[in-house]
Amino acid sequence: AVLRLGIDVPTFPTFLLAQTRRDLGWIAFALLFATIASTVLISGLTRSLRSVASYARAIERGQFDAVVDIKTQDEASTIAEAFNVVLHRLKNSYVSTLGALAALLETKDRTTESHSLRGVRYAMEIGKAAGLSAQELTDLEYGALLHDIGKIGIADSVLKKTGPLTEDEWAIMRQHPSIGYNVLKNLDFLQNALPVVLHHQERYDGRGYPNGLKGEQIPIFARIFCIADSFDAMTSDRPYRRAMRPELAIQEMRRLGGVQFDPKLVEIFIRLWEEGAFARIEGRPEPGILSKSKPHP
C-alpha cells in the first residue's frame, strides 16, 4: 500500500493538469466560436442598419431610386422591407407634390403647360448627351419642370400682357426666378434642382439675371435648361409674336453660343437636333421635314 501511494500520488497532479488543459482547450475553442459567431451576427445587423440609414440619407437628398438591400432573413430584413414600402410611398408623395406645383403654375399661365413639358424633354436629352448621372438627370428634370414657378407671384397685368412689356414691367418679370427660389427653398428634396429655378435666365456673357453670373459660374443644370427653354420659346407662338421656324431658331442658337449660351452645350443641342434626337417630342417634326414646312407669314 505504501508502495502504491508512492507511485499514485505523484501522478494525480499530472493527470489533473492534463485534464484541465483539455478542458481549457475546449473552453477556449467555445469562446473563439462564440466570438466569431457574434461578430458575424453583429456585422450582418450592422450592415443592415447601415443600409437603412444610408437610404434614409439618400431620401433626404431627394434620391428616391435606391433600395434597401438586405439579404439576411432576420428582423433587420423585415424592417428593411417595411422601410422600402414606406419610402416608395414617400417618393410618390414627393412626385405628386411636384405635379401639384406645376398644376398651380398652369392655372396662372396656360401658355406654360406644353412649353414646360417640351423644355423638360429637350433638357433631359442634352443632359444625357453631356454625361450627367441618373441622379443629376432627376434633379435637372425637377428644376426644369418648376423653373417658372415664380410666375405665380407676378401680376396678371404683366404676365398675360399681349403687347411688349415696358421697362418697369420687365423689372417685375425679372423677379420670377427669385420668387420661385423662395417658394421652393425649404423643400429638402428639391435642393439640387434650385439652381435651374434661380439661374435659368443667366447668360453666358454675364448679362443675365438675377445675379449676373458668367460662363461656368452658372450651374450646369441652368446652362442646359437655358438652351432648352430658349429654343422652345423661339419656336412657340406667343400672344405678342408668331413662332420662329426651327431652322432659323437653330441658326440663332448657334449665333448666340458663347454669348447667351454655353458654346459647348449649344453645339451638343444642335448635333442632337440634326440627328433627330428630338423627333419624338410632341409637336416637333424631324429636321428632314422642316425643310418642307411653310414659313409663317
Side-chain angles (χ1 to χ4, degrees):
V2 173
L3 181 60
R4 187 167 55 248
L5 286 175
I7 297 172
D8 290 343
V9 170
T11 61
F12 180 74
T14 302
F15 167 79
L16 182 62
L17 180 60
Q19 190 69 27
T20 301
R21 283 175 177 172
R22 283 195 298 272
D23 292 343
L24 287 175
W26 280 108
I27 292 172
F29 177 77
L31 288 174
L32 178 61
F33 179 80
T35 300
I36 293 173
S38 299
T39 300
V40 171
L41 180 62
I42 293 172
S43 176
L45 181 59
T46 301
R47 285 195 301 272
S48 300
L49 294 176
R50 284 177 179 171
S51 180
V52 172
S54 176
Y55 190 42
R57 288 192 295 270
I59 283 293
E60 185 179 6
R61 295 191 298 270
Q63 298 172 357
F64 301 112
D65 295 329
V67 175
V68 180
D69 183 19
I70 299 176
K71 298 180 175 62
T72 56
Q73 299 299 315
D74 55 15
E75 290 87 349
S77 64
T78 303
I79 293 172
E81 183 178 355
F83 201 71
N84 281 331
V85 172
V86 171
L87 292 178
H88 177 71
R89 292 176 180 174
L90 181 60
K91 173 182 177 179
N92 290 339
S93 176
Y94 279 1
V95 172
S96 296
T97 299
L98 290 181
L101 289 171
L104 177 63
L105 176 58
E106 290 165 17
T107 63
K108 179 76 171 179
D109 183 7
R110 300 303 301 181
T111 64
T112 63
E113 181 175 6
S114 58
H115 167 61
S116 293
L117 293 177
R118 287 194 302 267
V120 169
R121 292 166 185 161
Y122 287 139
M124 294 294 283
E125 293 294 336
I126 300 169
K128 291 175 187 175
L132 297 187
S133 68
Q135 182 58 46
E136 287 171 332
L137 288 172
T138 297
D139 294 330
L140 173 61
E141 182 179 16
Y142 291 169
L145 183 63
L146 298 174
H147 74 282
D148 269 346
I149 194 67
K151 287 183 177 179
I152 62 175
I154 304 298
D156 286 350
S157 60
V158 175
L159 187 62
K160 298 181 180 180
K161 185 175 180 179
T162 57
L165 300 181
T166 67
E167 283 299 319
D168 289 342
E169 289 169 339
W170 268 117
I172 294 171
M173 184 64 81
R174 290 189 184 103
Q175 295 175 14
H176 81 269
S178 298
I179 294 172
Y181 174 83
N182 288 325
V183 167
L184 303 176
K185 67 181 181 181
N186 293 322
L187 295 176
D188 290 342
F189 77 104
L190 289 178
Q191 292 305 299
N192 293 333
L194 289 177
V196 181
V197 178
L198 183 60
H199 297 299
H200 69 276
Q201 292 289 354
E202 305 283 2
R203 289 170 53 108
Y204 201 76
D205 62 4
R207 298 173 61 189
Y209 62 90
N211 299 124
L213 301 183
K214 184 176 182 180
E216 294 190 2
Q217 292 177 338
I218 306 168
I220 187 169
F221 293 172
R223 281 182 276 144
I224 288 173
F225 185 71
C226 179
I227 293 169
D229 185 53
S230 297
F231 179 79
D232 192 68
M234 289 180 190
T235 55
S236 301
D237 285 328
R238 288 291 185 267
Y240 50 87
R241 62 160 174 79
R242 297 294 302 276
M244 183 183 295
R245 292 177 61 196
E247 308 97 301
L248 298 179
I250 289 292
Q251 293 176 17
E252 186 71 359
M253 299 290 290
R254 181 175 279 116
R255 184 183 69 82
L256 292 173
V259 179
Q260 183 174 348
F261 309 121
D262 182 320
K264 294 180 181 178
L265 291 175
V266 83
E267 286 302 320
I268 289 176
F269 173 81
I270 293 171
R271 174 176 58 79
L272 290 171
W273 177 265
E274 291 173 344
E275 292 174 353
F278 304 120
R280 62 182 175 274
I281 296 178
E282 183 179 357
R284 295 296 181 229
E286 296 183 24
I289 299 174
L290 295 178
S291 60
K292 302 175 184 178
S293 61
K294 295 181 180 180
H296 289 296

